[in-house]
Amino acid sequence: MLYSWLACMTLVSKAGPSYCIPTEISRCKNAQNVVIGMASSIDASKLKETPARFSSLSCNSRKTPQILSSESLSVGMKRGHRFVVAASPPTEDAVIATEPLTKEDLIAYLASGCKPKENWRIGTEHEKFGFENGTLRPMKYEQIAELLHGIAERFDWDKIMEGDTIIGLKQGMQSISLEPGGQFELSGAPVETLHQTCAEVNSHLYQVKAVAEEMGTGFLGIGFQPKWALKEIPIMPKGRYDIMRNYMPKVGSLGLDMMFRTCTVQVNLDFSSEADMIRKFRASLALQPIATALFANSPFTDGKPNGYLSMRSHIWTDTDNNRAGMLPFVFDDTFGFEQYVDYALDVPMYFVYRKKKYIDCTGMSFRDFLAGRLPCIPGELPTLNDWENHLTTIFPEVRLKRYLEMRGADGGPWRRLCALPAFWVGLLYDEDSLQSVLDMTADWTSEERQMLRNKVTRTGLKTPFRDGLLRHVAEEVLKLAKDGLERRGFKEVAFLNAVAEVVSTGITPAEQLLELYHGKWGQSIDPVFEELLY
């Protein structure tokens, strides 16, 4: 039996500051019927003012689709009690609308992420390095595949396949995926409280360890591969990564290091309206260097100190500046969904997915794609799936999709995997704390924000800022985060303990590792694999 998972979304001609369309996921039960799920909170008068533009929809249409789909909403073939899930949905199998996409549709896609505060959720993602216990060498793809099969069979996950190759797992709203160098990533389900997200992380790590230990392998929580050279890192068999690997050296000197040797932890948070998105975007972008400092955890390269506290963050300064950075335009008076769409339209593309293959479109413009002028697929027009894919290839310090992604932190041990969402939830999900952050950062200049972003990679909380150090700002920010969590009423403040320790001492995790390296470890890098073992 073939199932299609469809996210059905109304396309509107305009998305104003308070015009947001929540969506629900619907399951297509057969080839004849489609349920379009829409939350009851949609303003009916707005629907009358801006009529929907859907044609008749069919689950198995061969026409060019215009409806949202994604890697997590993909075609699955049931086998026994589990599914084998396609890595990325063939666009010709998706639900369609006949009219070509417009810029207004792309704006409406972002606006569809708006939801009332009672529906705000927390999504946490983290990556980690797999290694062989005996040799400390990176896990090969064959070992990672064995691990994925083991987790799927023992803990009832669905397998995600690219052709005949396993590249990930899915269970409910959670997914496990592989980064280019085999970094093992959990993308967590959207949950209501930090207790739930931390429980999810703990359950995941238990499952991974249960299988990995039997294989003689382990996982390391750090922001940059501390021991092995780039040429020694295995390459995962995913089509999109071949395209990126060929393109990266053309646009920066550190892009391959980003792909194969970095790990991060990030949190994804919601907004209620365009105005709320703008406020959260500005607050989180201004404070992202503080998060980088607090979670700095990548001081080693090729077995020795590299001169940075966050090598992972430094790498983004010379990966591809067309798609990374601090986005000064977010602080312009005219900023909103439309301005982000304009930015994204001109970020060079990586690929287009057609007929179960990734087509190299590197350096080309999505703006040209909208007009049917892509040389890689001449005359063909984009779908919302193409737009969604393109948004995932943009890498600023804070990224806008149908939610906001905080992207400034290094990967680390499990306590800090719970601390990062606690930090940002306390600041952004409480109105008083959010407003205090905006007041605090209101007169920070673009040059100051960029200076902080550049310098924290080396000097962390000791970075000079105005009349003091960044540590003094971090103390105030941490208090706002604590107060915000207190007011939420879920007894979540303890999740900030790992961050509070860094702020109180002024010593980042990276500096703690460097002290061990020069002292107890006798300038050997190998003990880090035990120190930061999950």
Side-chain angles (χ1 to χ4, degrees):
M1 182 182 294
L2 187 66
Y3 290 90
S4 293
W5 288 85
L6 312 170
C8 297
M9 175 179 114
T10 300
L11 304 180
V12 296
S13 61
K14 291 185 179 180
S18 61
Y19 188 26
C20 293
I21 305 174
T23 60
E24 296 174 349
I25 304 233
S26 302
R27 189 170 186 173
C28 181
K29 296 295 186 183
N30 55 55
Q32 308 302 321
N33 300 314
V34 172
V35 177
I36 299 178
M38 299 182 64
S40 60
S41 57
I42 295 177
D43 188 328
S45 65
K46 290 290 178 66
L47 284 178
K48 293 176 183 177
E49 294 167 9
T50 22
R53 299 190 293 120
F54 271 94
S55 65
S56 59
L57 303 178
S58 161
C59 286
N60 295 316
S61 174
R62 307 297 295 179
K63 298 177 184 178
T64 305
Q66 303 293 355
I67 197 71
L68 168 68
S69 60
S70 70
E71 291 197 5
S72 64
L73 302 170
S74 55
V75 177
M77 187 69 71
K78 193 172 184 181
R79 296 181 181 174
H81 295 293
R82 284 184 292 275
F83 286 85
V84 175
V85 183
S88 185
T91 52
E92 64 268 25
D93 288 343
V95 171
I96 69 155
T98 58
E99 294 186 27
L101 284 182
T102 66
K103 177 181 164 182
E104 287 72 27
D105 296 331
L106 307 184
I107 296 168
Y109 172 85
L110 296 180
S112 72
C114 299
K115 50 177 65 74
K117 184 172 183 177
E118 60 267 23
N119 292 338
W120 290 354
R121 295 295 181 263
I122 306 162
T124 305
E125 304 180 25
H126 79 273
E127 301 162 355
K128 47 202 170 290
F129 293 107
F131 65 93
E132 300 173 349
N133 290 335
T135 65
L136 304 182
R137 296 191 66 83
M139 289 175 68
K140 305 178 186 70
Y141 169 72
E142 292 74 17
Q143 293 170 302
I144 293 173
E146 180 183 348
L147 176 65
L148 290 170
H149 284 297
I151 294 172
E153 289 155 12
R154 189 175 305 185
F155 299 105
D156 201 31
W157 288 70
D158 305 334
K159 299 176 183 180
I160 301 175
M161 310 295 292
E162 188 167 306
D164 295 327
T165 304
I166 187 168
I167 59 167
L169 302 173
K170 186 175 186 303
Q171 187 181 78
M173 297 293 287
Q174 299 180 76
S175 64
I176 294 172
S177 59
L178 304 180
E179 293 298 298
Q183 303 98 314
F184 210 73
E185 178 176 9
L186 173 70
S187 296
V191 298
E192 187 175 358
T193 72
L194 293 165
H195 299 286
Q196 292 167 332
T197 197
C198 202
E200 175 188 68
V201 166
N202 289 335
S203 174
H204 166 76
L205 293 176
Y206 167 79
Q207 293 179 11
V208 170
K209 286 180 64 175
V211 180
E213 286 178 351
E214 295 173 358
M215 298 171 52
T217 56
F219 281 89
L220 177 68
I222 199 168
F224 190 81
Q225 165 57 246
K227 185 174 177 71
W228 302 107
L230 186 60
K231 64 183 179 182
E232 297 171 290
I233 306 299
I235 299 172
M236 296 299 103
K238 295 177 69 171
R240 63 190 291 173
Y241 293 157
D242 288 338
I243 293 171
M244 294 172 63
R245 184 160 51 99
N246 293 330
Y247 180 68
M248 286 295 184
K250 301 175 183 177
V251 292
S253 66
L254 299 175
L256 295 181
D257 282 312
M258 180 280 292
M259 290 181 66
F260 293 98
R261 296 208 284 178
T262 63
C263 279
T264 186
V265 54
Q266 68 183 53
V267 59
N268 307 324
L269 299 176
D270 291 315
F271 43 81
S272 61
S273 65
E274 183 173 49
D276 188 44
M277 178 277 293
I278 294 168
R279 297 171 75 237
K280 287 174 176 170
F281 208 147
R282 289 173 178 168
S284 58
L285 199 53
L287 295 186
Q288 210 62 216
I290 291 179
T292 298
L294 292 174
F295 291 85
N297 191 43
S298 47
F300 305 117
T301 301
D302 300 336
K304 57 184 182 296
N306 52 33
Y308 292 89
L309 300 180
S310 178
M311 183 65 179
R312 181 208 60 83
S313 181
H314 168 68
I315 278 170
W316 279 112
T317 65
D318 194 14
T319 288
D320 182 349
N321 288 331
N322 285 321
R323 67 182 74 246
M326 288 291 284
L327 305 187
F329 66 86
V330 170
F331 297 88
D332 293 346
D333 292 340
T334 57
F335 177 67
F337 290 128
E338 181 175 4
Q339 287 71 26
Y340 194 87
V341 167
D342 281 330
Y343 158 71
L345 283 172
D346 293 323
V347 171
M349 295 178 63
Y350 281 154
F351 59 81
V352 171
Y353 189 82
R354 291 292 185 274
K355 297 180 180 178
K356 302 184 182 181
K357 292 184 179 179
Y358 290 95
I359 299 169
D360 189 339
C361 298
T362 48
M364 301 174 194
S365 162
F366 206 96
R367 196 179 296 277
D368 287 340
F369 196 6
L370 272 184
R373 296 197 301 263
L374 271 196
C376 58
I377 46 172
E380 190 154 348
L381 295 171
T383 68
L384 277 176
N385 187 58
D386 295 319
W387 178 238
E388 183 185 34
N389 279 334
H390 180 57
L391 291 176
T392 69
T393 68
I394 301 173
F395 307 120
E397 292 297 286
V398 177
R399 178 163 65 187
L400 175 63
K401 294 196 284 192
R402 292 189 295 168
Y403 43 84
L404 287 166
E405 298 180 354
M406 310 296 116
R407 297 176 47 81
D410 286 0
W414 74 267
R415 285 178 67 232
R416 293 205 288 276
L417 300 183
C418 302
L420 183 78
F423 179 76
W424 287 115
V425 167
L427 293 172
L428 301 184
Y429 273 8
D430 177 77
E431 178 59 32
D432 290 345
S433 292
L434 174 58
Q435 187 58 52
S436 294
V437 170
L438 291 168
D439 294 341
M440 177 197 308
T441 60
D443 66 343
W444 292 12
T445 66
S446 177
E447 292 75 19
E448 285 177 319
R449 293 191 297 266
Q450 188 62 48
M451 177 276 293
L452 289 175
R453 190 261 172 274
N454 292 341
K455 289 192 174 181
V456 294
T457 62
R458 285 185 179 271
T459 52
L461 293 175
K462 298 179 178 65
T463 302
F465 184 66
R466 296 191 172 180
D467 297 330
L469 300 175
L470 192 62
R471 176 185 174 186
H472 303 137
V473 183
E475 289 172 346
E476 188 174 351
V477 170
L478 177 62
K479 184 179 187 308
L480 293 176
K482 286 182 175 179
D483 290 346
L485 291 182
E486 287 279 8
R487 284 188 288 266
R488 270 171 56 83
F490 293 117
K491 300 186 183 302
E492 298 166 316
V493 175
F495 291 113
L496 284 173
N497 287 348
V499 175
E501 182 180 339
V502 175
V503 172
S504 66
T505 62
I507 300 172
T508 64
E511 290 166 300
Q512 294 175 356
L513 292 177
L514 287 167
E515 184 178 346
L516 288 169
Y517 174 85
H518 290 294
K520 180 179 173 182
W521 295 353
Q523 298 191 2
S524 169
I525 198 64
D526 291 358
V528 77
F529 288 85
E530 182 175 352
E531 180 75 21
L532 298 181
L533 176 71
Y534 283 111

